[in-house]
């Protein structure tokens, strides 16, 4: 018997506001021809953020009707419902979603702004995952002056963007976040592709023109990275040169939420959701009778790096992705050992492509790379867990960090980026290929689809003329140190070793706000040997020798050497659970941090200036 195809508009969502001040969206799902026992599920995670977040905790008042008749609903587990209904009649499902998470991962709604990801609002109708989905966005009272921005395909919309949108299937629907509000918007064209930038919460000093100009340069650099240096800036994406692959999107949307304090991003198929601190936005220069030199904040460089990172993900993880992500399973963890490649290699290229796009200079790039190297080298967990294991454990470790995280795991972002660095510099030293070429070949080989580590090894062997299995075994699947120093020196970069900060010398990470508090104790350090613990307040220090013996009040770690001089043994007074403890602390030998600079401009240029 031939299975009957579902009719057009088989799945239709209507989203409106139930109560702005209560932060409630109202969602109505209509299934034209439901199953007799229709199963509905809400995702427990959102792709790109590897943690089970239990979005169903925010869903309430779920009710189902067919015509005027209420139909029974049985909840099967924390995020699954079964509806007993008549298949020949449309099923209407209504519910509310509480939206008060001002991040890029879930949903937000108040009197000034609305935002949501489909994984937080849109139930998956089992059996209809691959049918077209329609989303209708309604303007509600209290939303005067609001507009809509989303990467979804518009069908019938008004000038503000309210109306109906279409997605080919459920995956596409939930991979296009929606921004609502009186936001700033601007646009540009990069390599023939229209791009739009939306900023919510921008202050009066915001320089939108600067943000658009810089973002355009980044986008052009990354499109050329993936599709060839001869990609014409003004060419149509459909007019390809020989050997070029098509650009995988016809338009792109940046959604940026500027807040008092925040940072992060989440990639999507033709858009990205970003969050940054308002002070990190580019600012218009003030015009005065005596103009002063205006310098953009350093945080703006960080914002550009975030933009570069999430845009690069449009190729590397959204299309070129782990084979385990061929089809997302929204009801459980989706495990892979390849986040070191998809997040780590993206982290390598985000700042490097800022350099190639001439948004930063060599000194700034090396400063950013220095920070990454020191972060990895100052993490004891790099000697405990491989970066492949860290990828697999993202669900329970990276997104659930605690006082022991630095001792138990390593970041697949930072160490993964150093694996990419070592691989790129090794390939360049041998002179047959580059990591750029490897990435483009992987893209072509997989047709912009799923890949495995074996695919990477085969492409490396194909382009370099030898096997890189030994390197990946050491760099990815063991806790061996990476040869970044030797490789950087070969490419004209001077590696300086300088005294480390006091916190790192002691083996601790602290918070200095209204007191000196211990945040983390690093494995094998002087602080661990003395008996410090996470959560301790370090109140005072006492040197047992010298003319100024006696306890001295501690406000910051800088006070330590001021009050103890060259003493090798001191007493630390800490408060733990309202008890005062005296800990014998042996002052450590000075440890070293890394600083990079250009030693050979020509050699460094072959890496930093040339793809």
């Amino acid at each position: 018997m031939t299975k009957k195809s579902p009719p057009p508009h088989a799945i239709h969502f209507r989203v409106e506001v139930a109560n702005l001040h209560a932060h409630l969206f109202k969602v109505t799902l209509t299934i034209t021809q439901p199953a007799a026992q229709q199963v509905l599920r809400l995702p427990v995670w959102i792709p790109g953020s590897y943690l089970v977040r239990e979005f169903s905790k925010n869903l309430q008042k779920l009710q189902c009707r067919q015509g005027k008749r209420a139909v029974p609903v049985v909840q099967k587990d924390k995020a699954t419902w079964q509806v007993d209904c008549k298949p020949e009649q449309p099923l209407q499902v209504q519910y509310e979603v509480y939206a008060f998470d001002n991040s890029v991962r879930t949903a937000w709604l108040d009197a000034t702004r609305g935002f949501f990801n489909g994984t937080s609002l849109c139930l998956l109708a089992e059996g209809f995952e691959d049918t077209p989905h329609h989303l209708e966005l309604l303007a509600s009272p209290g939303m005067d002056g609001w507009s809509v921005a989303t990467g979804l395909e518009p069908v019938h919309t008004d000038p503000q963007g309210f109306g109906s949108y279409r997605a080919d299937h459920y995956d596409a629907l939930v991979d296009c976040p929606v921004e609502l509000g009186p936001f700033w918007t601007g646009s540009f064209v990069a390599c023939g592709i229209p791009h739009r930038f939306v900023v919510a919460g921008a202050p009066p000093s915001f320089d939108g023109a600067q943000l658009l100009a810089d973002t355009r340069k980044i986008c052009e650099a990354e499109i050329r990275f993936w599709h060839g240096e001869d990609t014409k800036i003004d060419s149509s994406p459909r007019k390809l040169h020989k050997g070029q692959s098509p650009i995988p999107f016809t338009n792109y949307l940046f959604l940026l939420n500027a807040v008092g304090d925040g940072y992060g991003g989440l990639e999507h198929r033709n858009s990205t959701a970003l969050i940054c601190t308002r002070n990190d936005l580019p600012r218009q220069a003030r015009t005065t009778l005596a103009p002063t030199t205006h310098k953009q904040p350093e945080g703006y460089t960080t914002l550009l790096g975030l933009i570069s990172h999430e845009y690069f993900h449009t190729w590397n993880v959204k299309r070129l992705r782990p084979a385990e992500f061929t089809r997302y399973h929204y009801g459980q963890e989706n495990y892979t050992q390849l986040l070191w490649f998809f997040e780590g290699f993206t982290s390598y290229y985000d700042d490097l492509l800022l350099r190639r796009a001439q948004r930063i200079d060599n000194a700034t790039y090396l400063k950013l790379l220095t920070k990454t190297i020191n972060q990895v080298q100052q993490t004891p967990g790099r000697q405990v867990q491989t970066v492949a294991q860290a990828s697999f454990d993202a669900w329970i470790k990276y997104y659930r960090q605690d006082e022991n995280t630095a001792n138990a795991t390593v970041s697949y972002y930072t160490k993964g980026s150093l694996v990419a660095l070592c691989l790129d510099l090794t390939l360049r030293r041998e002179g047959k290929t580059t990591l750029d070429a490897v990435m483009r070949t992987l893209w072509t080989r997989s047709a912009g689809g799923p890949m495995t580590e074996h695919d990477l090894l085969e492409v490396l062997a194909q382009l370099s003329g030898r096997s890189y299995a030994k390197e990946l075994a050491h760099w990815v699947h063991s806790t061996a140190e990476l040869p970044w120093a030797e490789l950087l020196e070969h490419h004209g970069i001077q590696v300086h070793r300088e005294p480390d900060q006091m916190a790192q010398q002691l083996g601790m990470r602290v918070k200095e706000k209204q007191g000196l508090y211990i945040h983390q104790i690093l494995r094998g350090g002087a602080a661990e040997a003395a008996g410090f613990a996470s959560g301790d307040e370090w109140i005072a220090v006492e040197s047992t020798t010298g003319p100024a013996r006696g306890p001295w009040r501690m406000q910051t770690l800088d006070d330590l050497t001021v009050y103890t001089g060259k003493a090798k043994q001191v007493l630390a007074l800490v408060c733990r659970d309202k008890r005062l403890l005296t800990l014998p602390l042996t002052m450590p030998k000075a440890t070293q941090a890394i600083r990079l600079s250009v030693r050979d401009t020509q050699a460094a240029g072959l890496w930093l200036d040339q793809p």
Side-chain angles (χ1 to χ4, degrees):
M1 182 177 179
T2 303
K3 185 177 178 181
K4 186 177 180 181
S5 299
H9 306 278
I11 302 295
H12 181 278
F13 286 93
R14 185 174 72 239
V15 176
E16 55 195 306
V17 170
N19 189 321
L20 276 176
H21 301 302
H23 319 294
L24 291 172
F25 282 108
K26 178 183 177 182
V27 183
T28 303
L29 163 62
T30 301
I31 306 174
T32 305
Q33 291 185 354
Q37 291 185 320
Q38 182 63 57
V39 175
L40 306 171
R41 306 181 190 276
L42 193 68
V44 302
W45 71 291
I46 181 169
S49 184
Y50 307 102
L51 177 68
V52 172
R53 297 186 183 276
E54 314 291 17
F55 300 133
S56 60
K57 68 183 179 182
N58 294 317
L59 189 149
Q60 62 189 42
K61 292 186 177 180
L62 190 148
Q63 299 176 341
C64 297
R65 303 189 68 85
Q66 288 190 292
K68 297 181 179 180
R69 182 178 69 90
V71 292
V73 181
V74 177
Q75 186 165 0
K76 307 297 288 186
D77 60 33
K78 63 185 179 182
T80 306
W81 295 262
Q82 180 176 295
V83 185
D84 295 325
C85 51
K86 296 181 179 180
E88 68 276 10
Q89 293 184 4
L91 172 66
Q92 187 178 82
V93 185
Q94 285 191 347
Y95 53 95
E96 294 177 346
V97 174
Y98 178 71
F100 203 59
D101 177 11
N102 200 16
S103 74
V104 297
R105 297 178 295 266
T106 53
W108 171 268
L109 182 64
D110 69 1
T112 63
R113 173 180 177 261
F115 171 84
F116 67 85
N117 288 287
T119 45
S120 291
L121 260 67
C122 298
L123 289 165
L124 185 155
E126 191 173 273
F128 294 90
E129 297 90 339
D130 296 322
T131 62
H133 283 57
H134 284 252
L135 174 67
E136 183 181 6
L137 300 170
L138 300 184
S140 304
M143 298 171 67
D144 295 339
W146 285 31
S147 297
V148 174
T150 180
L152 288 168
E153 176 188 345
V155 179
H156 297 292
T157 60
D158 65 19
Q160 285 70 47
F162 289 97
S164 61
Y165 294 83
R166 180 187 180 279
D168 288 338
H169 40 70
Y170 182 81
D171 284 350
L173 175 74
V174 300
D175 207 13
C176 292
V178 176
E179 178 75 28
L180 304 156
F183 45 72
W184 175 92
T185 185
S187 62
F188 60 88
V189 175
C191 297
I193 302 292
H195 291 64
R196 184 185 181 192
F197 214 122
V198 163
V199 181
S205 62
F206 170 55
D207 188 346
Q210 183 68 55
L211 181 63
L212 292 178
D214 290 334
T215 304
R216 178 184 176 182
K217 290 293 185 180
I218 294 168
C219 295
E220 290 171 348
E222 298 198 4
I223 291 173
R224 287 177 156 188
F225 173 91
W226 287 104
H227 301 283
E229 283 298 306
D230 59 346
T231 302
K232 301 297 183 182
I233 293 298
D234 297 321
S235 68
S236 165
R238 296 176 181 83
K239 295 179 181 178
L240 302 173
H241 297 278
K242 184 178 179 180
Q244 282 186 317
S245 59
I247 299 171
F249 49 89
T250 57
N251 58 79
Y252 195 89
L253 173 66
F254 292 95
L255 300 174
L256 174 60
N257 181 24
V259 296
D261 185 20
Y263 174 81
L266 190 59
E267 67 276 1
H268 298 279
R269 62 179 51 213
N270 69 332
S271 63
T272 184
L274 310 167
I275 188 168
C276 77
T277 301
R278 291 188 187 94
N279 287 339
D280 291 342
L281 291 171
R283 306 170 195 167
Q284 297 173 353
R286 296 181 62 184
T287 302
T288 63
L289 293 178
T292 58
T293 301
H294 175 70
K295 184 178 181 181
Q296 296 287 5
E298 289 186 7
Y300 183 49
T301 299
T302 303
L303 173 59
L304 293 180
L306 178 65
I307 291 169
S308 177
H309 183 98
E310 303 304 338
Y311 194 69
F312 196 85
H313 269 320
T314 313
W315 292 267
N316 194 41
V317 89
K318 295 311 299 183
R319 272 96 177 169
L320 188 65
R321 61 191 184 276
E324 296 90 343
F325 291 177
T326 300
R327 190 68 186 258
Y328 292 126
H329 300 287
Y330 293 102
Q332 64 186 47
E333 297 89 344
N334 289 219
Y335 294 102
T336 179
Q337 288 194 354
L338 284 173
L339 294 184
W340 59 268
F341 178 89
F342 290 99
E343 292 292 354
F345 281 39
T346 300
S347 295
Y348 171 63
Y349 277 111
D350 55 18
D351 290 333
L352 184 58
L353 287 169
L354 285 189
R355 172 66 191 87
R356 292 185 187 171
Q358 299 182 338
R359 300 305 92 187
I360 57 176
D361 57 18
N362 285 348
T364 302
Y365 174 74
L366 292 179
K367 183 178 180 181
L368 295 169
L369 180 57
T370 295
K371 181 179 179 181
T372 299
I373 292 173
N374 283 325
Q375 285 177 335
V376 173
Q377 294 304 112
Q378 294 170 0
T379 301
R382 78 184 192 283
Q383 299 174 327
V384 175
Q385 187 180 52
T386 71
V387 72
Q389 292 170 334
S391 300
F392 195 85
D393 281 344
W395 299 89
I396 58 173
K397 292 190 176 180
Y398 184 82
Y399 283 92
R400 289 177 173 165
Q401 298 194 16
D402 58 26
E403 70 285 346
N404 192 49
T405 294
N407 299 317
T409 188
V410 66
S411 168
Y412 49 79
Y413 284 91
T414 53
K415 186 173 181 181
S417 71
L418 295 187
V419 170
L421 170 75
C422 291
L423 195 54
D424 194 16
L425 297 187
T426 300
L427 291 168
R428 289 172 182 272
R429 181 173 63 181
E430 295 180 358
K432 293 185 177 180
T433 190
T434 67
L435 188 58
D436 297 25
V438 169
M439 299 297 288
R440 284 192 289 270
T441 304
L442 280 170
W443 172 264
T444 303
R445 172 190 174 102
S446 69
M451 60 160 277
T452 66
E453 185 175 321
H454 181 70
D455 292 315
L456 173 60
L457 284 168
E458 286 197 342
V459 170
L460 284 168
Q462 171 192 338
L463 297 185
S464 72
R466 73 170 180 88
S467 171
Y468 270 76
K470 180 178 179 181
E471 281 81 358
L472 290 195
H474 286 177
W475 301 348
V476 174
H477 297 284
S478 84
T479 58
E481 296 290 356
L482 300 175
W484 49 265
E486 170 200 348
L487 290 166
L488 286 169
E489 291 278 4
H490 178 83
H491 287 80
I493 306 300
Q494 183 71 45
V495 179
H496 307 270
R497 301 182 185 274
E498 302 175 338
D500 214 336
Q501 296 180 348
M502 179 54 67
Q504 190 63 33
Q505 293 186 40
L506 290 169
M508 61 169 60
R509 293 175 182 171
V510 301
K511 294 181 178 179
E512 298 177 338
K513 188 174 182 180
Q514 296 181 337
L516 178 58
Y517 290 88
I518 311 303
H519 178 53
Q520 291 180 321
I521 298 298
L522 303 182
R523 187 72 69 239
E528 182 184 60
F532 282 89
S534 176
D536 286 352
E537 180 185 6
W538 193 346
I539 298 174
V541 65
E542 178 180 358
S543 176
T544 57
T545 60
R549 291 191 297 270
W552 292 83
R553 184 75 167 92
M554 292 277 289
Q555 293 290 340
T556 70
L557 273 184
D558 291 338
D559 294 335
L560 183 59
T561 54
V562 173
Y563 298 138
T564 61
K566 297 182 179 180
K568 296 182 179 180
Q569 299 284 336
V570 300
L571 298 176
L573 179 66
V574 303
C575 179
R576 182 184 305 164
D577 191 27
K578 298 186 183 291
R579 298 180 62 188
L580 295 179
L581 304 175
T582 301
L583 307 178
L585 173 64
T586 300
M587 295 296 290
K589 295 181 180 179
T591 57
Q592 293 182 326
I594 300 302
R595 181 175 62 83
L596 305 177
S597 66
V598 175
R599 172 179 51 79
D600 183 333
T601 302
Q602 182 176 1
L606 294 175
W607 164 44
L608 296 176
D609 299 333
Q610 297 183 17

